[in-house]
Amino acid sequence: MLRFLRTHITGIDSKNDDFEDFYHYSRLISHGFPQKISCFAIDTELSLTAFGTRDGRVIILGSESIEWEGSVESNLPIVYIYFATGLGILHILCDDPYSGTQSFHRCRIQGDSLEMKKAIHQIPLKKITCAEMLNRSDGNSALLIGTIIGNIYALWTNSLELSEYIVFEDTALKSITCLTDSKSVDKIVVDPQCSSTLYMLFNNSFIVIFDSLHDEVMQTFNLSLNATNLSLFSSKSKLLVSHVNGSYSVYNYESNSLIETKLPFGPYPCMPINKIYCTTNSNFDSELYIFSGGMPKASYGDRYTISIFSKDCEVVLDFDSRILDFIVYNENNIGSALFVLCEQEMVVIDLMDNKGWKNFRLPYLYPIHYSPVTSVHLTSSISDKVFELLKNAHLEQNRLSNTSYSIRPWPIKCGQNRINQTESKNVSLLITGHENGTVHIWRTDRVNFSPFLTYMTACEFDGFTENINNELSINDHRNTSFSESEVDDKNDEWPPFKKVGLFDPFCDDPRLTILKLSFEVSTGELIIGGRAGQAIVYELNRCENKCGPIKSINIEMTENTTLNSNSNLRNRQLPLPARRSELTYSAGFRPISNCIFQLKPASNITAIGWLSSRKFLAVGNEYGYAICDLLTEKIIMKNCLLTSTEIVELSNVDGALSRFKSMKKSIRQSFRRKKRTPADQNGRVDGTLSPLEEIRPIEREITARTEQPNLQQGELPLSLVKVARFLSTRVDNSTENPPQPDNLFIGTQGGVILIHAILNNKDLNEELCPLIKEIRLQHRAPIVHIDYLPDLHRILVFSEEQIRSFVMPLMKPSKYKFKLTSIEGSRIRKAQIVSLKSMKSKRTSEKFILVISNHGELFLFSSQNPRKYVKMPFTKPTDILGIASSTVNSEGEIFYLKSGGSELQRATIGHTINPALVSPFKEINFP
Amino acid sequence: MSWNKDERSADSRPSSSSPSSVNRTSVHYVQKPLQVPPFLPVKSKFDSEFRTKSHAGDLLPITNDENFRKSFESAHPYLRLLIQRKGESWEEKYGYGTETLDRKRKGLSMLIPAVNKPPRRNYNISNPEDFRQVSAIIDVDVVPETHRRVRLCKHGTDRPLGFYIRDGTAVRLTPQGAMKVAGIFISRLVEGGLAESTGLLAVNDEVLEVNGIDVQGKTLDQVTDMMVANAQNLIITTKPANQRNTLQRGAHQRISASTNQSDAGGSLGGRGGSSSSGNRYAVNKKSVLVLSLSLLLL
């Protein structure tokens, strides 16, 4: 016995040594649109863009796949960023909300990383009112900082020293009598031709053109109206001033004369114009005036607009989120692209596109959350065949949507020649399902995420009419094209609005929401489950195909016909009507057999499983589950896990179907949906408690798991199917049927595991999928995941509280078990068997069990001994969205949504990091 | 120990609120009619049993409703209770209703080995038990004297565990001196809940372990989940806010403390004193073995 123990223990110990060898948690880059974005800047010389966020992140982007990211000291909110043109240096102005101070940081690109340095200065600065970059030809550039008392400081780029650039009292400025009382510098503009000439706006009402070299006041303009912003159009000596009342004035600073004052959306009171810019290009006869705001207050005061006016055209670009800033990108002094940064997305308009106002396809900062992400799925490496089919579909989709996008190359080009676009092997895909029924497929071997393939499942349903006449765009996410005729039609409408951007916080029909996603990596089948009980299986097609009306196969989960006819049935939600018209599917996804499965009652799909070899679909909801055959388009079996009394109870959950109540609820929900912008969610996630909440002691009731969940209070019924998985396990039920290769495993909320055999003989007398085993977990916790370790002949069952395992083929309980909640106090949310490569010898790999807990931790268990595990945090315990959205593949890659839902954070537990994520500037001296 | 046989007690024994029926049955009650409350918690610790003398001369264990009622009926002039360690009584060893001759041997005759074989019956009459263990103090020899390890036995009933926990600060003695650390405390007991009925948990008791796992460094939510996961067999190690009922003090003090409350309070100098003193027992520490019981009469 002792010897046995000794060998046993040393056996484990030897494993101990190399456990560390297999895992290394690293948080990698994030993809998508950063939440809390606050400012951006463009360096035209190096062709770079930079973005700052209110949580202290700096992101510098060049051409596609060129990205630097860093963060400022203690993640102070970034308010402004300025490029020292051509140097690869950013000046960052941060606001410290706690101390009320402002600080300057310098961010320098060094190879593939960013070097941050805080400017330490002795001069006590008065309140900073504005800043502007002074780029000198000799490379010694400085950030000019205007203060509330009229002095201007210079923060020198190279030395990071702060010195007084213009002392108000020591210069000719003091002779200006208007500026005796208050002289806050509200805007500085540096003449691009002559860097010593400054155009300064004092007190929002007085413009001074000042030559700092000769200490000479060149011009003054006294404005009759308060100004908001100032800009220069130097080629025609024009000075543009935007005003608070929605008008703008154009001055000639050479002749000191007012050229014009315009109230573009008058005569009624208008919103202020926040920023104005003037540019020219060959597409337009006259100069273009581009300004944000200025809408008529009463009718369009709540719109977020940018107006582009010239002599021959007028357009008002209408955005769905607040505009933070816009910059015209100049190539050789020609304004070629308009970058608009909104709170929720970036839109780049092609100004050279002959007044089509087409967008550029975004290579990065794609607003993943344009319709809220409702499910995320990360596949393991897909087969070459599938990848080829997807690529074919991707090219076809791009070709079709080219009409709605600018065909010019992306204007930001830094690092373009450095990217080696070698096709990486073993591509894994990230699939996101959205509230509007759209599925996006993203390639994970990219630094920047732009949709690889987009599919709108809404086209399988009636009511998807707006795009139906434009058949080509069914695979496109949003019909952004704006044909010329439409412009003409709307010419009588004033102002001439044009909707731009993808972000759309309002959802037309929440029933389209994708809740469950699955992707078969070897065959390319995509399975979705939706909120209204719809389950659809898609296959990849190489060519276009015209299909007739969709066949909807109903699966009645409740046999009770009296209940069905009874209006008392939970009819809070009706199924979506299937499409009755024809539709041409372009190359890419198409429903198998042109049919969809509709579970009734139409409640959320909670589990989907797919057996590709037999084309069997298993689908579950809170009533039970069903197995369908896609080839014969038949329901093989269905199993309602509720008793009839429970069905009635569940049916009445929505308040005994008081119509008034449900109406009220639906209105309330739709308002909430409307109000709920990602920014709000953001605030809620890491928002501080109100003082009232802090005083009240937080306490938790200790109650055992109930056998009868209170459905009226929104508790989930025990019958809810949490897991439906086909596994090749050969479970032996030691009865008449020999073990079958495939088994269906069902796991429920109530901790019950049901195992079906999938019989091969298609004898009509016999049941095709008989139930062969039922296991009830004693602790009755909801099943989270069921998996199979073939090398150890072990079925792993993950409940919320424990890991249990069963030895094949007789399903005997095995010693491999672990009570995670009892020991760690965390509940299992996700589980996945990962196979990790050893760091020492790249050829060996071992299987581990990765568990994600409800407290944002990752647990990595040895597959031999559950007591051997490591724990590491991957996100905050309060990050509900991140934990709920986390997805892991068998290679140990992890993706989860960052708070706000607009960005996907990527991490890995293995040593190997995708080579595509390595910056081409690694170990290269740049700039 | 609780008695909640409402219907039966209403039939066989009228409540004191109806005087006429009291008259009828009060023959059995000398002096004051003993009023049996519908729900009477009686605590039993240290694996002891309450026994009362039956008419037959057997010692009836108070382990079921019938015996409990009987003991009250025969309580004249007062109820005589014998406390005996469980499993050590004659009846339990040899069965009820066996020959009691041997029992009556006293004095020297006890030394003489009994010639006849011990009384044995071929059939076994079980001891009907309506009482059920709801909690136990366990691991007394392992757990420090100031702490208490309590097992709450749910036995599949739908009776709620009935307590709440909260965050708080505890003082720990470290080599660096007393330090304030975050701790988990019992914040509330629900009336009629399992936790309250044991009398072993009280408000402001600090929770140290749940089923043997230290809760140090765990959040309130994590501890909640740990307790919920173990709800069927919950073992909580606490540091009671009221240290009077712990095994902290020496055996000699204990006896006097139980009889003299003011003395106990003085010698302890501890905090609290809010919990009911009814739970306190005078027991020699040496006699404390491992188990102590709190019984519930169903």
Side-chain angles (χ1 to χ4, degrees):
Chain A
M1 184 66 194
L2 202 65
R3 194 186 297 149
F4 166 73
L5 274 177
R6 201 183 295 131
T7 51
H8 205 69
I9 286 162
T10 50
I12 293 165
D13 281 347
S14 70
K15 280 263 173 254
N16 262 352
D17 299 333
D18 40 39
F19 198 70
E20 299 261 325
D21 180 33
F22 288 95
Y23 81 91
H24 179 257
Y25 176 74
S26 36
R27 201 162 174 258
L28 305 170
I29 54 173
S30 51
H31 308 279
F33 186 81
Q35 271 304 308
K36 299 186 176 180
I37 205 158
S38 59
C39 53
F40 83 119
I42 296 179
D43 183 343
T44 39
E45 211 166 297
L46 287 176
S47 197
L48 282 172
T49 54
F51 298 82
T53 70
R54 270 180 284 124
D55 48 9
R57 282 167 68 196
V58 185
I59 301 150
I60 303 180
L61 295 158
S63 74
E64 193 181 338
S65 299
I66 301 293
E67 181 173 325
W68 291 266
E69 201 187 315
S71 53
V72 295
E73 199 181 292
S74 58
N75 283 15
L76 292 169
I78 298 176
V79 203
Y80 291 110
I81 54 175
Y82 302 91
F83 259 117
T85 311
L87 301 174
I89 291 175
L90 264 181
H91 279 286
I92 302 164
L93 174 56
C94 292
D95 230 338
D96 189 344
Y98 299 107
S99 65
T101 56
Q102 286 165 313
S103 59
F104 297 97
H105 303 258
R106 185 184 66 188
C107 167
R108 188 201 291 267
I109 299 174
Q110 290 208 315
D112 64 340
S113 60
L114 295 180
E115 178 214 62
M116 294 281 179
K117 195 169 181 194
K118 190 179 178 180
I120 297 157
H121 54 82
Q122 305 301 321
I123 308 165
L125 280 178
K126 290 279 180 193
K127 188 175 177 256
I128 296 164
T129 46
C130 69
E132 181 68 24
M133 202 64 215
L134 172 74
N135 288 309
R136 287 212 206 156
S137 47
D138 59 357
N140 194 11
S141 51
L143 183 70
L144 299 183
I145 301 151
T147 61
I148 202 157
I149 56 153
N151 290 355
I152 292 172
Y153 295 89
L155 181 72
W156 298 98
T157 304
N158 293 336
S159 59
L160 264 191
E161 271 167 17
L162 191 72
S163 64
E164 282 180 290
Y165 192 68
I166 299 168
V167 182
F168 190 87
E169 297 297 332
D170 296 352
T171 58
L173 287 170
K174 65 169 186 254
S175 60
I176 302 165
T177 48
C178 303
L179 299 175
T180 44
D181 303 335
S182 60
K183 40 196 182 270
S184 87
V185 191
D186 291 311
K187 179 82 189 169
I188 309 168
V189 178
V190 182
D191 192 325
Q193 263 84 49
C194 169
S195 62
S196 65
T197 310
L198 304 178
Y199 299 75
M200 292 178 283
L201 175 68
F202 284 97
N203 297 340
N204 282 330
S205 59
F206 197 78
I207 298 168
V208 177
I209 306 174
F210 181 73
D211 185 349
S212 60
L213 203 64
H214 306 101
D215 183 21
E216 191 185 333
V217 175
M218 291 157 78
Q219 290 284 357
T220 59
F221 298 93
N222 203 346
L223 306 173
S224 51
L225 264 171
N226 262 6
T228 53
N229 217 322
L230 196 67
S231 78
L232 213 58
F233 184 49
S234 49
S235 63
K236 292 207 174 147
S237 308
K238 277 182 181 174
L239 190 63
L240 286 85
V241 183
S242 59
H243 296 293
V244 284
N245 69 341
S247 66
Y248 64 87
S249 320
V250 185
Y251 292 87
N252 187 321
Y253 57 81
E254 295 283 311
S255 63
N256 191 10
S257 59
L258 176 70
I259 298 170
E260 58 170 344
T261 296
K262 250 179 116 173
L263 185 63
F265 299 106
Y268 301 110
C270 291
M271 302 298 285
I273 292 181
N274 301 318
K275 182 173 180 177
I276 185 159
Y277 193 82
C278 185
T279 188
T280 53
N281 74 39
S282 54
N283 260 300
F284 300 93
D285 304 338
S286 68
E287 53 262 48
L288 284 171
Y289 289 96
I290 302 169
F291 57 89
S292 60
M295 283 285 115
K297 211 175 248 174
S299 39
Y300 301 111
D302 54 345
R303 299 269 187 124
Y304 309 116
T305 60
I306 283 192
S307 311
I308 307 176
F309 276 53
S310 81
K311 283 217 174 77
D312 52 341
C313 77
E314 288 160 343
V315 69
V316 179
L317 306 175
D318 188 2
F319 294 86
D320 264 316
S321 59
R322 199 164 66 87
I323 294 160
L324 297 170
D325 198 3
F326 70 87
I327 296 176
V328 174
Y329 185 74
N330 289 305
E331 278 170 300
N332 312 320
N333 284 328
I334 291 166
S336 62
L338 171 65
F339 283 69
V340 184
L341 181 68
C342 303
E343 257 175 4
Q344 302 299 342
E345 63 182 328
M346 185 175 73
V347 178
V348 185
I349 309 279
D350 190 359
L351 296 177
M352 307 286 277
D353 180 53
N354 203 20
K355 294 157 208 161
W357 314 115
K358 281 181 184 162
N359 292 4
F360 280 99
R361 238 184 250 279
L362 284 177
Y364 35 68
L365 298 183
Y366 193 89
I368 293 173
H369 65 315
Y370 77 94
S371 172
V373 177
T374 47
S375 51
V376 190
H377 176 72
L378 179 66
T379 71
S380 39
S381 298
I382 56 170
S383 69
D384 294 345
K385 189 188 87 190
V386 172
F387 183 56
E388 202 216 320
L389 281 169
L390 282 167
K391 234 173 107 176
N392 172 44
H394 164 73
L395 293 173
E396 182 69 7
Q397 192 167 85
N398 271 7
R399 191 180 64 77
L400 293 172
S401 61
N402 265 349
T403 49
S404 43
Y405 285 104
S406 166
I407 46 166
R408 288 207 304 131
W410 180 246
I412 307 292
K413 295 190 174 70
C414 179
Q416 203 175 33
N417 46 358
R418 290 185 185 273
I419 307 160
N420 41 345
Q421 285 286 13
T422 47
E423 283 302 337
S424 46
K425 272 189 176 176
N426 303 333
V427 179
S428 55
L429 302 173
L430 186 80
I431 306 172
T432 55
H434 297 258
E435 198 179 28
N436 64 356
T438 305
V439 176
H440 278 290
I441 294 182
W442 319 80
R443 283 178 67 167
T444 62
D445 61 337
R446 287 279 183 270
V447 173
N448 301 121
F449 267 23
S450 60
F452 185 45
L453 206 60
T454 303
Y455 188 85
M456 295 184 84
T457 62
C459 70
E460 262 72 66
F461 300 100
D462 242 3
F464 184 74
T465 45
E466 62 259 51
N467 282 1
I468 223 112
N469 42 10
N470 184 2
E471 284 176 346
L472 299 180
S473 67
I474 62 132
N475 272 348
D476 186 16
H477 39 340
R478 187 151 153 185
N479 191 6
T480 44
S481 70
F482 199 74
S483 59
E484 297 288 332
S485 60
E486 264 180 283
V487 176
D488 292 339
D489 289 346
K490 290 183 178 173
N491 252 357
D492 45 342
E493 191 206 354
W494 179 261
F497 283 117
K498 170 174 162 40
K499 202 105 185 122
V500 285
L502 299 167
F503 183 71
D504 181 11
F506 312 121
C507 177
D508 303 330
D509 196 340
R511 290 182 295 173
L512 289 167
T513 304
I514 311 267
L515 294 176
K516 289 284 157 193
L517 278 171
S518 181
F519 188 82
E520 192 66 40
V521 288
S522 51
T523 53
E525 283 138 348
L526 172 76
I527 308 102
I528 65 120
R531 181 161 283 171
Q534 74 270 32
I536 314 171
V537 184
Y538 293 95
E539 61 187 352
L540 276 169
N541 282 68
R542 194 173 289 280
C543 41
E544 200 178 85
N545 209 327
K546 190 162 184 156
C547 292
I550 288 275
K551 279 168 280 179
S552 176
I553 299 165
N554 288 337
I555 308 172
E556 296 283 353
M557 290 311 296
T558 54
E559 295 286 346
N560 201 329
T561 45
T562 52
L563 254 174
N564 288 346
S565 58
N566 197 340
S567 66
N568 222 18
L569 188 69
R570 181 184 213 168
N571 56 2
R572 55 167 183 180
Q573 194 164 259
L574 292 169
L576 286 159
R579 192 187 68 229
R580 281 169 298 184
S581 54
E582 289 188 335
L583 185 71
T584 306
Y585 290 91
S586 62
F589 288 116
R590 183 156 61 86
I592 291 184
S593 307
N594 201 30
C595 69
I596 62 171
F597 289 92
Q598 178 65 55
L599 264 67
K600 283 184 175 177
S603 65
N604 296 352
I605 299 277
T606 55
I608 47 173
W610 175 245
L611 181 63
S612 189
S613 57
R614 301 281 297 270
K615 302 273 180 278
F616 279 6
L617 171 74
V619 55
N621 67 1
E622 56 191 0
Y623 292 86
Y625 58 96
I627 308 172
C628 320
D629 186 345
L630 265 289
L631 291 177
T632 58
E633 295 164 37
K634 284 213 171 69
I635 305 160
I636 298 166
M637 60 104 23
K638 58 187 172 184
N639 189 0
C640 181
L641 301 173
L642 286 166
T643 61
S644 54
T645 50
E646 283 172 320
I647 291 171
V648 174
E649 198 190 342
L650 191 59
S651 311
N652 292 339
V653 158
D654 281 337
L657 257 242
S658 140
R659 222 164 252 156
F660 169 71
K661 215 168 173 179
S662 61
M663 182 69 183
K664 204 165 88 177
K665 196 177 167 191
S666 120
I667 290 172
R668 196 184 296 139
Q669 272 177 348
S670 52
F671 268 96
R672 280 202 189 130
R673 223 179 347 262
K674 218 167 180 179
K675 273 190 209 158
R676 193 194 60 197
T677 61
D680 289 349
Q681 294 171 348
N682 221 13
R684 216 175 301 141
V685 167
D686 46 24
T688 49
L689 292 166
S690 71
L692 197 94
E693 280 173 304
E694 273 172 343
I695 293 162
R696 199 190 310 141
I698 308 157
E699 56 175 18
R700 297 277 184 277
E701 193 185 3
I702 310 296
T703 43
R705 213 172 272 290
T706 52
E707 277 172 75
Q708 291 291 315
N710 193 339
L711 301 173
Q712 304 291 340
Q713 281 179 11
E715 285 176 31
L716 296 170
L718 299 181
S719 58
L720 188 138
V721 176
K722 298 273 284 184
V723 181
R725 281 202 87 184
F726 288 99
L727 295 169
S728 306
T729 48
R730 292 183 180 272
V731 172
D732 192 352
N733 60 336
S734 62
T735 54
E736 67 276 15
N737 292 320
Q740 295 300 318
D742 295 306
N743 295 104
L744 172 68
F745 287 78
I746 298 286
T748 71
Q749 177 78 16
V752 179
I753 304 147
L754 301 163
I755 304 166
H756 285 266
I758 311 295
L759 297 190
N760 249 331
N761 50 338
K762 286 171 183 163
D763 191 359
L764 286 174
N765 298 332
E766 233 175 322
E767 214 183 334
L768 201 54
C769 301
L771 180 70
I772 55 168
K773 221 166 187 87
E774 181 171 339
I775 299 167
R776 289 175 179 271
L777 293 186
Q778 210 185 356
H779 61 287
R780 299 201 309 261
I783 309 285
V784 175
H785 186 65
I786 299 172
D787 220 324
Y788 181 48
L789 267 174
D791 352 338
L792 298 164
H793 306 289
R794 214 189 274 145
I795 291 278
L796 289 164
V797 174
F798 299 87
S799 78
E800 271 190 14
E801 292 174 355
Q802 300 184 6
I803 303 170
R804 299 302 280 268
S805 68
F806 300 91
V807 180
M808 284 291 110
L810 288 165
M811 291 287 285
K812 276 191 186 145
S814 119
K815 270 196 292 180
Y816 187 93
K817 57 184 173 186
F818 192 70
K819 294 184 175 180
L820 184 77
T821 310
S822 294
I823 290 162
E824 290 287 344
S826 303
R827 285 161 185 269
I828 301 175
R829 282 280 172 269
K830 304 270 157 89
Q832 172 78 40
I833 294 175
V834 294
S835 138
L836 300 178
K837 281 189 182 133
S838 161
M839 190 169 63
K840 286 180 201 143
S841 51
K842 296 272 182 223
R843 295 205 166 261
T844 53
S845 67
E846 200 174 306
K847 287 208 166 132
F848 293 91
I849 292 155
L850 185 69
V851 163
I852 289 174
S853 80
N854 65 337
H855 287 111
E857 304 145 310
L858 290 173
F859 290 91
L860 192 68
F861 289 92
S862 150
S863 60
Q864 311 285 334
N865 176 12
R867 252 148 275 283
K868 250 195 67 45
Y869 65 96
V870 283
K871 173 169 92 165
M872 54 214 116
F874 78 100
T875 182
K876 282 181 284 183
T878 49
D879 183 10
I880 297 157
L881 180 72
I883 295 159
S885 63
S886 57
T887 170
V888 188
N889 70 3
S890 57
E891 284 112 60
E893 283 189 291
I894 304 157
F895 277 83
Y896 59 94
L897 283 171
K898 284 178 118 169
S899 65
S902 64
E903 238 185 325
L904 282 156
Q905 177 68 49
R906 161 179 207 151
T908 181
I909 195 99
H911 284 291
T912 44
I913 288 169
N914 201 322
L917 302 183
V918 177
S919 166
F921 288 102
K922 195 176 170 71
E923 289 157 12
I924 282 174
N925 199 8
F926 180 84
Chain B
M1 199 185 296
S2 325
W3 198 23
N4 56 1
K5 277 283 165 214
D6 304 314
E7 314 97 37
R8 236 203 291 176
S9 64
D11 293 343
S12 61
R13 177 185 334 287
S15 68
S16 61
S17 57
S18 88
S20 63
S21 44
V22 167
N23 284 340
R24 219 169 353 128
T25 53
S26 62
V27 196
H28 302 287
Y29 303 127
V30 189
Q31 319 288 342
K32 254 194 273 176
L34 265 173
Q35 183 190 329
V36 181
F39 195 77
L40 177 77
V42 178
K43 307 264 156 36
S44 156
K45 293 194 181 182
F46 316 121
D47 207 7
S48 54
E49 270 190 346
F50 295 90
R51 287 176 177 273
T52 189
K53 208 104 178 181
S54 75
H55 300 296
D58 274 354
L59 279 172
L60 278 186
I62 307 180
T63 53
N64 57 60
D65 296 353
E66 208 47 45
N67 289 5
F68 186 56
R69 189 165 55 84
K70 216 150 193 89
S71 69
F72 269 79
E73 280 171 0
S74 59
H76 46 93
Y78 45 80
L79 178 67
R80 266 184 72 185
L81 281 179
L82 267 98
I83 300 174
Q84 212 168 6
R85 189 170 297 174
K86 197 172 180 180
E88 288 189 356
S89 68
W90 173 275
E91 289 84 0
E92 270 181 304
K93 276 182 176 160
Y94 306 114
Y96 290 87
T98 48
E99 261 312 308
T100 53
L101 256 176
D102 278 338
R103 261 194 270 170
K104 302 227 165 90
R105 296 201 300 172
K106 277 183 183 153
L108 270 176
S109 60
M110 274 180 81
L111 299 172
I112 304 160
V115 190
N116 50 343
K117 45 190 173 165
R120 198 178 292 150
R121 251 203 323 244
N122 296 332
Y123 54 95
N124 188 29
I125 301 172
S126 70
N127 190 5
E129 285 201 34
D130 287 344
F131 293 3
R132 185 174 60 67
Q133 195 182 19
V134 292
S135 66
I137 298 182
I138 56 168
D139 296 349
V140 182
D141 47 348
V142 180
V143 176
E145 289 174 334
T146 52
H147 299 171
R148 179 187 290 162
R149 188 168 287 173
V150 180
R151 168 186 277 147
L152 297 176
C153 314
K154 209 166 170 312
H155 291 304
T157 57
D158 47 358
R159 199 164 170 207
L161 286 166
F163 67 103
Y164 289 75
I165 56 170
R166 64 168 171 87
D167 279 317
T169 15
V171 179
R172 289 281 149 75
L173 275 175
T174 60
Q176 287 82 38
M179 287 232 303
K180 275 191 174 173
V181 290
I184 304 289
F185 294 86
I186 294 174
S187 66
R188 197 140 59 98
L189 295 178
V190 180
E191 209 172 309
L194 194 63
E196 194 226 14
S197 74
T198 66
L200 299 172
L201 299 172
V203 173
N204 293 332
D205 285 2
E206 189 190 350
V207 177
L208 301 171
E209 287 175 8
V210 176
N211 287 49
I213 308 294
D214 196 351
V215 302
Q216 177 87 50
K218 294 221 158 53
T219 63
L220 183 64
D221 285 328
Q222 283 178 314
V223 178
T224 308
D225 280 346
M226 285 166 77
M227 289 189 176
V228 170
N230 289 309
Q232 293 307 320
N233 180 31
L234 185 59
I235 300 165
I236 312 174
T237 311
T238 61
K239 188 179 176 194
N242 182 357
Q243 288 284 334
R244 283 183 192 178
N245 304 325
T246 57
L247 305 168
Q248 198 177 10
R249 287 157 297 142
H252 57 284
Q253 270 182 331
R254 184 150 315 157
I255 295 160
S256 66
S258 67
T259 49
N260 190 337
Q261 208 176 336
S262 63
D263 175 35
S267 70
L268 234 157
R271 28 185 187 140
S274 63
S275 101
S276 65
S277 57
N279 304 350
R280 303 198 285 105
Y281 292 87
V283 182
N284 190 316
K285 196 188 168 189
K286 283 169 197 149
S287 73
V288 174
L289 288 178
V290 181
L291 280 167
S292 69
L293 295 178
S294 176
L295 297 177
L296 174 77
L297 167 62
L298 270 180

